[in-house]
Amino acid sequence: MKSAVDLYDYIYSWKDYTGEADIIHKILSSHGCAKGTLLELACGTGRYIENWSMYDCYGVDLCSRSIELASRRNPRAHWYCTDMKDTKLTMSFDAIVCLFGGIAYLSEEELQIALTHWYSLLKDDGILIVEPWLEKKQIDFDKPFLQTYQTLNLKIARMVVPKELQGCCELNFSFLVSRAGFKVELFECQDRLWLYSRTRIQKKIEAAGFRFIESRESFLAASNLLIFNRPSSF
């Protein structure tokens, strides 16, 4: 274990990435995007992309360790350690997705920059899918939260007390890890996620030039997948 990032896939082992990736593919297919180029923003360790062999996939994440793990999982995809608000990529994509609340890592100013950039990356009639994070009313601030993972030789506990701070949810995570043959280890990391309502995100995306198509039930509790396209210039 090098860092808390190495524990991510264990903590989220309950998540059905294969089933969710299939749903995303079906949504994209229903809007004429069954194949082609796909960019995943804030791709993490690449768990979705490993299920999208029908696309030529590109993944970007600001965490170098996440990109390292993702590239090991799927060396055929294209991986970039870069900021999603300005990826430096110059090609165009048939589909862009930002799942599991990844858009919440962007402040209001950063979000505006990002949306302009994403619009420039998407082909005419291309599809954008965004899965917003939790809203403020859905978070139990100042109350302890615990997630665990365990096998015979590995035990992990992740603890956090969410704090509200200037329009953000600040999460200072502590991981306790017990492995057979090793001393108990402590890893720490911090996430700061901006608190947007679904309506606010949709309006901002539309204001950037995208056309709202529909919403679908999200993989996060009480959320929605927001689906847009880039209107054809013809």
Side-chain angles (χ1 to χ4, degrees), residues 53-69:
S53 59
M54 67 291 293
Y55 298 103
D56 184 17
C57 288
Y58 290 69
V60 301
D61 200 282
L62 200 54
C63 175
S64 59
R65 181 59 175 165
S66 292
I67 291 296
E68 180 184 347
L69 295 172

Side-chain angles (χ1 to χ4, degrees), residues 72-90:
R72 289 182 190 175
R73 173 174 283 116
N74 187 352
R76 295 196 311 171
H78 314 275
W79 304 102
Y80 297 89
C81 181
T82 186
D83 196 323
M84 65 175 164
K85 73 175 180 289
D86 184 6
T87 65
K88 308 301 181 186
L89 298 176
T90 57

Side-chain angles (χ1 to χ4, degrees), residues 170-211:
E170 187 174 82
L171 300 166
N172 293 297
F173 290 108
S174 295
F175 295 79
L176 280 176
V177 183
S178 178
R179 293 183 288 164
F182 293 85
K183 293 182 179 180
V184 173
E185 299 170 282
L186 171 65
F187 296 93
E188 295 180 319
C189 69
Q190 181 187 84
D191 279 342
R192 183 171 290 180
L193 299 166
W194 292 84
L195 297 167
Y196 297 110
S197 69
R198 251 71 87 192
T199 301
R200 190 175 175 191
I201 287 177
Q202 180 179 330
K203 287 181 177 179
K204 284 185 172 295
I205 295 174
E206 289 179 298
F210 295 93
R211 179 171 59 197

Side-chain angles (χ1 to χ4, degrees), residues 150-155 178-181:
Q150 61 178 323
T151 62
L152 181 62
N153 294 312
L154 174 64
K155 316 290 183 187
S178 178
R179 293 183 288 164

Side-chain angles (χ1 to χ4, degrees), residues 41 84-87 89 96 106 108-122 128 204-210 230:
L41 304 160
M84 65 175 164
K85 73 175 180 289
D86 184 6
T87 65
L89 298 176
I96 298 176
L106 299 170
E108 194 144 351
E109 181 179 350
E110 291 171 331
L111 181 56
Q112 189 61 51
I113 295 169
L115 290 171
T116 299
H117 176 55
W118 301 351
Y119 189 90
S120 74
L121 292 177
L122 198 60
L128 170 69
K204 284 185 172 295
I205 295 174
E206 289 179 298
F210 295 93
R230 171 176 169 160

